Amino acid sequence: MYLATTDAVATAAKRGRTRRRPARGRVTGPVLALGAVSLVTDISSEMVAAVLPLYFVLGLGLSPLAFGFLDGLYNGATAVVRLLGGYAADRGGRHKLVAGSGYLLSALSRLGLLLAGGATAGIGAAIAADRLGKGVRTAPRDALISLSSPPDGLGRAFGVHRAMDTTGALLGPLAAFALLWITADAYDAVFVVSFCFGLFGVLLLVAFVPGRAALPGVGPSAGTSAASAARAGALPRPRPRKALTLLRVPAFRRVCAAAALLGAATVGDAFLYLLLQRRLDFAESYFPLLPLGTAAVYLLLAVPAGRLADRVGRRVPFVAGHGALLVAYLLLLLPTGGRPLLVGVLLALGVFYAATDGVLMALATPCLPADRRASGMAVLQTGQALSRLVAAAGFGAAWTLWGIGAALTCAVLALTVAVAGAAALLRPTEGRPVAARETPQEQPAPTTPPEGTA
């Protein structure tokens, strides 16, 4: 009787563990829904973004220095907006609402392009609105992905999302070229169709992405208990500046430092495409096709890179991805030409994005509490954006003052030092899950990191 009862209990416990354990390789519905939203939205944005670097430098005649500041500004000006977006999302678990607001603002910016009528100021304002929308939505969206995924499948989840996102980046320029060919270069048609795709992405978010009540740690009960705890003095109410206190968590601080260090040595891909065009001297009409090569490689490798990150540790592919970027710099610096240069640079850029973009978010997730996930990701993304602003401006200044060769040499040296520094910062103790009610000041001593992060 005792043996039978013991065996039954053990069997029931084993079945319970089996049911609770998510199937390896499975991605949850909310992640797929968010991937579909990003796919449609990227079709919208890339339809109008593919020719901007060429337009600014060759059409408007901007110097590399001016373009460097402009390129960095569009990526770094959203720093404060990212922090506010993360704070607003964490306050009451409004991740879906804040992300949807950012997607809607980006969609409306397409109408701004339509109404600008070719005026440089109007185009700039529309692009700025699009960047602001992206800054608002990115941290809440990534927080939704992390809250909807098992801890040992974060790399895979972010990889699937980034692959779907990149599919949109691949289809957007193709859709723009098809429209221009059908309508005999009617750019207004591109803007209208782009707006329609953007609005469709917002509708997908509203219809298929679960709200706060369906996500662990951000539902109404969680928000109520957090508010009660705040009134009782157990948990301070989140404030925008309080997001920076997450940097007191040693593991998260190291991730942020490594991302900022590498970002300060990351030359924007728009610069690399311009260098390719000058080195290979191909027709300007082919310039918008360059991002498609990078996007194709990214699309193929995003999911495998995420799965690899879950198996061997997320710091390994993240650092190795910047090594691929270093290869792209070296190919442009060395006397390489023709097809090997073109294929090599686009392949290296695709590997770089596949191994770093989503992997960085998966790397930081175990260091952040669930109720401050969006704020923490906003801090990380803000530091990376500001450091890339410095990199773009610095490379543009070096190109203008010293020439392409000297600028690339400086970029190679800077990235080499940054990769070595990041490898030292991201020691095997990458982080551990932080409890939702645990403040940075109250954390116990670090323990062994969870599976997939060592």
Side-chain angles (χ1 to χ4, degrees):
M1 178 71 179
Y2 169 77
L3 292 176
T5 304
T6 305
D7 182 66
V9 172
T11 302
K14 182 178 180 181
R15 289 177 178 174
R17 288 195 301 270
T18 302
R19 284 195 298 267
R20 287 193 299 269
R21 183 180 302 163
R24 184 171 293 276
R26 183 180 179 184
V27 178
T28 61
V31 174
L32 294 176
L34 287 165
V37 173
S38 294
L39 188 156
V40 173
T41 303
D42 250 35
I43 292 177
S44 171
S45 60
E46 294 301 324
M47 286 181 68
V48 297
V51 298
L52 286 181
L54 196 65
Y55 171 71
F56 284 140
V57 174
L58 300 181
L60 299 181
L62 295 181
S63 69
L65 175 60
F67 176 71
F69 276 108
L70 187 61
D71 182 63
L73 181 62
Y74 282 140
N75 290 286
T78 58
V80 176
V81 179
R82 288 175 190 266
L83 293 175
L84 292 177
Y87 158 72
D90 284 336
R91 186 179 176 87
R94 301 186 182 95
H95 300 79
K96 178 178 177 179
L97 176 62
V98 176
S101 300
Y103 280 113
L104 181 60
L105 179 59
S106 292
L108 293 176
S109 71
R110 314 293 183 248
L111 291 182
L113 287 171
L114 183 65
L115 298 174
T120 303
I123 293 175
I127 296 174
D130 176 57
R131 296 297 91 186
L132 289 175
K134 183 175 182 179
V136 167
R137 71 179 184 253
T138 301
R141 180 204 64 198
D142 286 345
L144 282 170
I145 294 172
S146 68
L147 291 168
S148 306
S149 305
D152 63 345
L154 287 168
R156 182 168 56 253
F158 278 104
V160 168
H161 174 267
R162 294 318 196 251
M164 297 179 72
D165 182 271
T166 307
T167 302
L170 193 64
L171 296 177
L174 295 177
F177 290 141
L179 274 174
L180 291 176
W181 181 71
I182 293 172
T183 61
D185 295 338
Y187 286 92
D188 288 353
V190 175
F191 298 151
V192 170
V193 174
S194 175
F195 167 72
C196 293
F197 270 105
L199 190 59
F200 181 50
V202 176
L203 296 177
L204 286 177
L205 179 76
V206 172
F208 295 106
V209 176
R212 57 182 177 179
L215 294 174
V218 296
S221 59
T224 303
S225 61
S228 301
R231 286 192 295 270
L235 181 67
R237 289 185 65 85
R239 299 175 184 175
R241 65 175 181 273
K242 289 292 184 181
L244 297 178
T245 62
L246 290 169
L247 293 173
R248 297 178 185 175
V249 181
F252 182 61
R253 184 170 63 246
R254 289 198 298 270
V255 173
C256 289
L261 180 63
L262 290 167
T266 301
V267 176
D269 48 3
F271 269 123
L272 302 186
Y273 297 148
L274 288 172
L275 291 173
L276 274 177
Q277 196 275 334
R278 295 197 174 199
R279 283 281 300 273
L280 300 178
D281 195 26
F282 52 78
E284 297 174 5
S285 58
Y286 291 108
F287 183 87
L289 298 177
L290 293 177
L292 299 184
T294 300
V297 178
Y298 187 2
L299 174 61
L300 292 175
L301 298 181
V303 176
R307 294 176 66 90
L308 178 66
D310 288 336
R311 290 179 179 275
V312 305
R314 290 152 194 160
R315 72 186 186 102
V316 176
F318 180 68
V319 175
H322 287 85
L325 182 62
L326 182 61
V327 171
Y329 292 178
L330 290 171
L331 287 174
L332 288 166
L333 181 62
L334 298 175
T336 312
R339 187 173 298 177
L341 175 62
L342 178 63
V343 174
V345 170
L346 297 182
L347 179 63
L349 277 177
V351 172
F352 162 67
Y353 282 115
T356 60
D357 191 9
V359 172
L360 176 60
M361 298 299 105
L363 180 65
T365 294
C367 310
L368 298 169
D371 61 343
R372 300 178 71 183
R373 190 70 52 80
S375 297
M377 289 185 172
V379 170
L380 174 61
Q381 294 162 0
T382 296
Q384 188 180 51
L386 291 176
S387 62
R388 288 185 174 180
L389 186 155
V390 173
F395 185 81
W399 184 351
T400 302
L401 298 175
W402 305 325
I404 296 176
L408 276 173
T409 301
C410 292
V412 167
L413 294 176
L415 186 56
T416 301
V417 173
V419 168
L425 284 168
L426 298 175
R427 298 189 291 274
T429 55
E430 290 177 355
R432 62 180 186 85
V434 181
R437 293 177 178 274
E438 188 177 76
T439 60
Q441 296 90 337
E442 297 169 344
Q443 291 177 47
T447 59
T448 303
E451 179 184 359
T453 62

